[in-house]
Amino acid sequence: MIKEKDGIYKLYNGRLSAVVMPDRGGKIASIYYPAKDFELLFQNPSGNWGRADLSSAFEDYEAAGFDDTFPSIDPGIVKVNGKDISYPDHGEIWTSRMEASAGKDEIRLSTDSRILDYRYQKTIRLDDSSIIISYRIENTGGHAFPAIWTMHALTAIDDDTEIFIPDGISSIQNAFGEDGILPWEKDGRLPYPITGDYDFRKALNKDDAGKCLKFYVPDAVTEGRCGYIYPSRGLRAVISYDPSKIPYLGFWKTIGGFRGDINIALEPSTGFYDSIANAAANDRCPIFNPGDILTFDIRIAIEEM
């Protein structure tokens, strides 16, 4: 079942509900599991949604819910066909007004880029206790451009929340400097899952308060499966995707270090990491050639344990 009111869509199938906002890039503002009164996504602390534009800074607006970041996370000047193109902060999708149409059990969203020649489409539907987002990004122009897609779903946490990432990962790369949770060297590799007495699997560690953390798995993952465990609720949220199309994985955590917000976010990504300049320097920056089409699905399943 899909209902629309004031341009906002709600999907509901008896097992799961979701709220979608086409005027804000197709943001998914809520993924709610009613059987246990459980909201997965971090909710907007202000209660109101501002009207951002292409040049807006992400930090000036509501960092909540599930946004898409494309063609990059960090802003920067990128050379495309000999011209300097300004890639916006957290990409341009989150500030896009998407065209929306609802079928019987899915919402179809689309927009054309304001800075490059591409068409961005996604379809959102529910399947039992899962939400599935299907993407199609097409270079509609005559010139190649670099672009990174990253999942930016800020997630709520409890005191005992844990994360899980694919098995076999023994190190991670720090994406922050000394302004992060501990004075680790930026871009330094750290043992995973435990560095010293710090357990990266825990949403909350001792001395986290008032700080932030971001790291990346330093190599391409071979399994597209990660997520969150909520032991006291008897739930887990499992994110599934095709690692051949989305090979990199980041993890963000703020425990009051960004505007006082408390949330975490696993961030599957097509590039490594955050900015076009970083990804190019690491030789891990996807290039969209004329006519290229990228398609992929993200599934988030809420499971009882």
Short mmCIF file of all heavy atoms in Angstrom, two decimals, residues 201-235:
data_model
loop_
_atom_site.label_atom_id
_atom_site.label_comp_id
_atom_site.label_asym_id
_atom_site.label_seq_id
_atom_site.Cartn_x
_atom_site.Cartn_y
_atom_site.Cartn_z
N ARG A 201 33.51 -2.88 16.54
CA ARG A 201 32.20 -3.51 16.34
C ARG A 201 31.13 -2.89 17.24
O ARG A 201 29.94 -3.07 16.98
CB ARG A 201 32.29 -5.01 16.60
CG ARG A 201 33.22 -5.74 15.62
CD ARG A 201 33.53 -7.13 16.10
NE ARG A 201 34.26 -7.09 17.38
CZ ARG A 201 34.80 -8.15 17.96
NH1 ARG A 201 34.69 -9.34 17.38
NH2 ARG A 201 35.44 -8.06 19.11
N LYS A 202 31.53 -2.20 18.27
CA LYS A 202 30.57 -1.60 19.19
C LYS A 202 30.21 -0.19 18.75
O LYS A 202 31.10 0.62 18.42
CB LYS A 202 31.16 -1.56 20.60
CG LYS A 202 31.41 -2.93 21.22
CD LYS A 202 31.96 -2.78 22.63
CE LYS A 202 32.18 -4.14 23.27
NZ LYS A 202 32.75 -4.00 24.64
N ALA A 203 28.93 0.12 18.75
CA ALA A 203 28.52 1.48 18.42
C ALA A 203 29.03 2.47 19.46
O ALA A 203 29.36 3.61 19.13
CB ALA A 203 27.00 1.56 18.32
N LEU A 204 29.10 2.04 20.71
CA LEU A 204 29.57 2.90 21.79
C LEU A 204 30.75 2.25 22.50
O LEU A 204 30.66 1.12 22.96
CB LEU A 204 28.44 3.15 22.80
CG LEU A 204 27.24 3.95 22.29
CD1 LEU A 204 26.14 3.96 23.34
CD2 LEU A 204 27.65 5.38 21.94
N ASN A 205 31.84 2.99 22.57
CA ASN A 205 33.01 2.60 23.33
C ASN A 205 33.28 3.64 24.41
O ASN A 205 32.77 4.77 24.36
CB ASN A 205 34.25 2.50 22.43
CG ASN A 205 34.38 1.16 21.73
OD1 ASN A 205 35.13 0.29 22.15
ND2 ASN A 205 33.66 0.99 20.64
N LYS A 206 34.09 3.29 25.36
CA LYS A 206 34.51 4.24 26.38
C LYS A 206 35.19 5.44 25.73
O LYS A 206 35.96 5.30 24.78
CB LYS A 206 35.48 3.54 27.35
CG LYS A 206 35.97 4.41 28.50
CD LYS A 206 36.92 3.62 29.39
CE LYS A 206 38.22 3.33 28.67
NZ LYS A 206 39.23 2.66 29.55
N ASP A 207 34.87 6.62 26.18
CA ASP A 207 35.47 7.88 25.73
C ASP A 207 35.04 8.30 24.33
O ASP A 207 35.66 9.17 23.72
CB ASP A 207 37.01 7.82 25.78
CG ASP A 207 37.54 7.55 27.18
OD1 ASP A 207 36.89 8.00 28.14
OD2 ASP A 207 38.58 6.87 27.29
N ASP A 208 33.99 7.69 23.79
CA ASP A 208 33.47 8.12 22.49
C ASP A 208 32.76 9.47 22.54
O ASP A 208 32.65 10.16 21.53
CB ASP A 208 32.47 7.09 21.95
CG ASP A 208 33.14 5.92 21.25
OD1 ASP A 208 34.37 5.95 21.10
OD2 ASP A 208 32.42 4.98 20.86
N ALA A 209 32.21 9.82 23.70
CA ALA A 209 31.31 10.97 23.79
C ALA A 209 31.95 12.24 23.25
O ALA A 209 33.11 12.57 23.55
CB ALA A 209 30.89 11.18 25.24
N GLY A 210 31.19 12.95 22.42
CA GLY A 210 31.63 14.22 21.86
C GLY A 210 32.57 14.10 20.69
O GLY A 210 33.16 15.09 20.26
N LYS A 211 32.68 12.90 20.10
CA LYS A 211 33.66 12.69 19.04
C LYS A 211 33.04 12.01 17.83
O LYS A 211 31.89 11.60 17.84
CB LYS A 211 34.84 11.87 19.57
CG LYS A 211 35.57 12.56 20.72
CD LYS A 211 36.69 11.71 21.27
CE LYS A 211 37.36 12.42 22.45
NZ LYS A 211 38.42 11.58 23.05
N CYS A 212 33.83 11.92 16.77
CA CYS A 212 33.41 11.26 15.52
C CYS A 212 34.48 10.28 15.08
O CYS A 212 35.63 10.36 15.50
CB CYS A 212 33.20 12.29 14.40
SG CYS A 212 31.93 13.51 14.68
N LEU A 213 34.08 9.39 14.20
CA LEU A 213 35.01 8.42 13.63
C LEU A 213 34.56 8.10 12.21
O LEU A 213 33.36 8.07 11.92
CB LEU A 213 35.01 7.15 14.47
CG LEU A 213 35.74 5.89 13.95
CD1 LEU A 213 36.25 5.07 15.13
CD2 LEU A 213 34.84 5.01 13.11
N LYS A 214 35.51 7.91 11.33
CA LYS A 214 35.19 7.35 10.02
C LYS A 214 36.36 6.50 9.56
O LYS A 214 37.51 6.92 9.62
CB LYS A 214 34.89 8.43 8.98
CG LYS A 214 34.34 7.82 7.69
CD LYS A 214 33.79 8.86 6.73
CE LYS A 214 33.07 8.16 5.58
NZ LYS A 214 32.53 9.13 4.60
N PHE A 215 36.05 5.29 9.12
CA PHE A 215 37.08 4.45 8.54
C PHE A 215 36.54 3.74 7.31
O PHE A 215 35.34 3.75 7.03
CB PHE A 215 37.63 3.44 9.56
CG PHE A 215 36.68 2.36 10.00
CD1 PHE A 215 36.44 1.25 9.20
CD2 PHE A 215 36.08 2.40 11.24
CE1 PHE A 215 35.60 0.23 9.61
CE2 PHE A 215 35.23 1.38 11.67
CZ PHE A 215 34.99 0.30 10.84
N TYR A 216 37.44 3.15 6.54
CA TYR A 216 37.09 2.36 5.36
C TYR A 216 37.81 1.03 5.42
O TYR A 216 38.95 0.94 5.90
CB TYR A 216 37.52 3.07 4.07
CG TYR A 216 36.52 4.07 3.56
CD1 TYR A 216 36.47 5.36 4.07
CD2 TYR A 216 35.60 3.74 2.57
CE1 TYR A 216 35.56 6.29 3.61
CE2 TYR A 216 34.68 4.65 2.09
CZ TYR A 216 34.66 5.92 2.62
OH TYR A 216 33.74 6.84 2.16
N VAL A 217 37.15 0.01 4.92
CA VAL A 217 37.85 -1.23 4.61
C VAL A 217 38.83 -0.90 3.49
O VAL A 217 38.44 -0.35 2.46
CB VAL A 217 36.87 -2.33 4.19
CG1 VAL A 217 37.62 -3.60 3.78
CG2 VAL A 217 35.87 -2.63 5.31
N PRO A 218 40.12 -1.16 3.65
CA PRO A 218 41.10 -0.64 2.70
C PRO A 218 41.12 -1.32 1.34
O PRO A 218 41.67 -0.76 0.38
CB PRO A 218 42.44 -0.84 3.42
CG PRO A 218 42.19 -1.94 4.39
CD PRO A 218 40.76 -1.81 4.81
N ASP A 219 40.54 -2.50 1.23
CA ASP A 219 40.51 -3.21 -0.04
C ASP A 219 39.07 -3.52 -0.44
O ASP A 219 38.16 -3.43 0.39
CB ASP A 219 41.31 -4.51 0.06
CG ASP A 219 42.75 -4.26 0.43
OD1 ASP A 219 43.41 -3.49 -0.28
OD2 ASP A 219 43.21 -4.81 1.45
N ALA A 220 38.87 -3.85 -1.67
CA ALA A 220 37.54 -4.19 -2.14
C ALA A 220 36.99 -5.38 -1.36
O ALA A 220 37.72 -6.34 -1.07
CB ALA A 220 37.57 -4.51 -3.63
N VAL A 221 35.72 -5.31 -1.00
CA VAL A 221 35.09 -6.43 -0.28
C VAL A 221 34.65 -7.49 -1.29
O VAL A 221 34.38 -7.18 -2.45
CB VAL A 221 33.89 -5.96 0.57
CG1 VAL A 221 34.35 -4.95 1.62
CG2 VAL A 221 32.79 -5.36 -0.30
N THR A 222 34.59 -8.71 -0.85
CA THR A 222 34.15 -9.81 -1.72
C THR A 222 32.74 -10.26 -1.38
O THR A 222 32.17 -11.09 -2.09
CB THR A 222 35.11 -11.00 -1.60
OG1 THR A 222 35.19 -11.42 -0.24
CG2 THR A 222 36.51 -10.62 -2.10
N GLU A 223 32.20 -9.74 -0.28
CA GLU A 223 30.84 -10.06 0.12
C GLU A 223 30.06 -8.77 0.35
O GLU A 223 30.51 -7.89 1.09
CB GLU A 223 30.84 -10.89 1.42
CG GLU A 223 29.45 -11.25 1.92
CD GLU A 223 29.46 -11.94 3.27
OE1 GLU A 223 30.52 -11.94 3.94
OE2 GLU A 223 28.40 -12.45 3.68
N GLY A 224 28.90 -8.65 -0.29
CA GLY A 224 28.07 -7.46 -0.13
C GLY A 224 27.05 -7.66 0.97
O GLY A 224 25.84 -7.74 0.70
N ARG A 225 27.53 -7.72 2.19
CA ARG A 225 26.65 -7.93 3.33
C ARG A 225 27.25 -7.29 4.57
O ARG A 225 28.40 -7.57 4.93
CB ARG A 225 26.41 -9.42 3.57
CG ARG A 225 25.36 -9.75 4.64
CD ARG A 225 25.17 -11.26 4.74
NE ARG A 225 24.09 -11.61 5.65
CZ ARG A 225 24.24 -11.75 6.97
NH1 ARG A 225 25.42 -11.56 7.52
NH2 ARG A 225 23.21 -12.08 7.73
N CYS A 226 26.48 -6.42 5.21
CA CYS A 226 26.92 -5.76 6.43
C CYS A 226 25.66 -5.31 7.17
O CYS A 226 24.55 -5.47 6.66
CB CYS A 226 27.85 -4.58 6.13
SG CYS A 226 27.11 -3.30 5.08
N GLY A 227 25.84 -4.74 8.36
CA GLY A 227 24.63 -4.27 9.03
C GLY A 227 24.82 -4.04 10.51
O GLY A 227 25.96 -3.87 11.01
N TYR A 228 23.69 -4.06 11.22
CA TYR A 228 23.64 -3.68 12.63
C TYR A 228 22.91 -4.75 13.44
O TYR A 228 21.94 -5.34 12.96
CB TYR A 228 22.91 -2.35 12.79
CG TYR A 228 23.36 -1.28 11.81
CD1 TYR A 228 22.65 -1.04 10.64
CD2 TYR A 228 24.51 -0.54 12.05
CE1 TYR A 228 23.07 -0.08 9.73
CE2 TYR A 228 24.94 0.43 11.15
CZ TYR A 228 24.22 0.65 9.99
OH TYR A 228 24.64 1.60 9.10
N ILE A 229 23.37 -4.93 14.66
CA ILE A 229 22.73 -5.86 15.59
C ILE A 229 22.25 -5.06 16.80
O ILE A 229 22.99 -4.24 17.35
CB ILE A 229 23.71 -6.96 16.03
CG1 ILE A 229 24.21 -7.75 14.82
CG2 ILE A 229 23.05 -7.90 17.04
CD1 ILE A 229 25.36 -8.69 15.12
N TYR A 230 21.00 -5.31 17.18
CA TYR A 230 20.38 -4.64 18.33
C TYR A 230 20.00 -5.73 19.35
O TYR A 230 18.86 -6.20 19.38
CB TYR A 230 19.15 -3.86 17.89
CG TYR A 230 19.45 -2.74 16.91
CD1 TYR A 230 19.54 -2.99 15.54
CD2 TYR A 230 19.66 -1.44 17.35
CE1 TYR A 230 19.84 -1.99 14.64
CE2 TYR A 230 19.96 -0.42 16.46
CZ TYR A 230 20.05 -0.70 15.11
OH TYR A 230 20.33 0.31 14.22
N PRO A 231 20.96 -6.16 20.18
CA PRO A 231 20.72 -7.31 21.06
C PRO A 231 19.53 -7.15 22.00
O PRO A 231 18.75 -8.09 22.18
CB PRO A 231 22.04 -7.42 21.85
CG PRO A 231 23.06 -6.80 20.96
CD PRO A 231 22.35 -5.68 20.29
N SER A 232 19.39 -5.97 22.60
CA SER A 232 18.31 -5.80 23.57
C SER A 232 16.94 -5.81 22.91
O SER A 232 15.92 -6.03 23.56
CB SER A 232 18.50 -4.52 24.37
OG SER A 232 18.49 -3.39 23.52
N ARG A 233 16.89 -5.58 21.61
CA ARG A 233 15.62 -5.61 20.87
C ARG A 233 15.38 -6.94 20.17
O ARG A 233 14.30 -7.19 19.64
CB ARG A 233 15.60 -4.50 19.81
CG ARG A 233 15.66 -3.09 20.38
CD ARG A 233 15.72 -2.09 19.25
NE ARG A 233 15.89 -0.72 19.70
CZ ARG A 233 14.90 0.14 19.92
NH1 ARG A 233 13.65 -0.26 19.71
NH2 ARG A 233 15.14 1.37 20.31
N GLY A 234 16.43 -7.78 20.12
CA GLY A 234 16.31 -9.04 19.40
C GLY A 234 16.18 -8.85 17.91
O GLY A 234 15.50 -9.62 17.23
N LEU A 235 16.87 -7.84 17.36
CA LEU A 235 16.76 -7.50 15.94
C LEU A 235 18.13 -7.30 15.33
O LEU A 235 19.11 -6.98 16.01
CB LEU A 235 15.97 -6.20 15.76
CG LEU A 235 14.48 -6.19 16.10
CD1 LEU A 235 13.94 -4.78 16.00
CD2 LEU A 235 13.71 -7.13 15.17
#
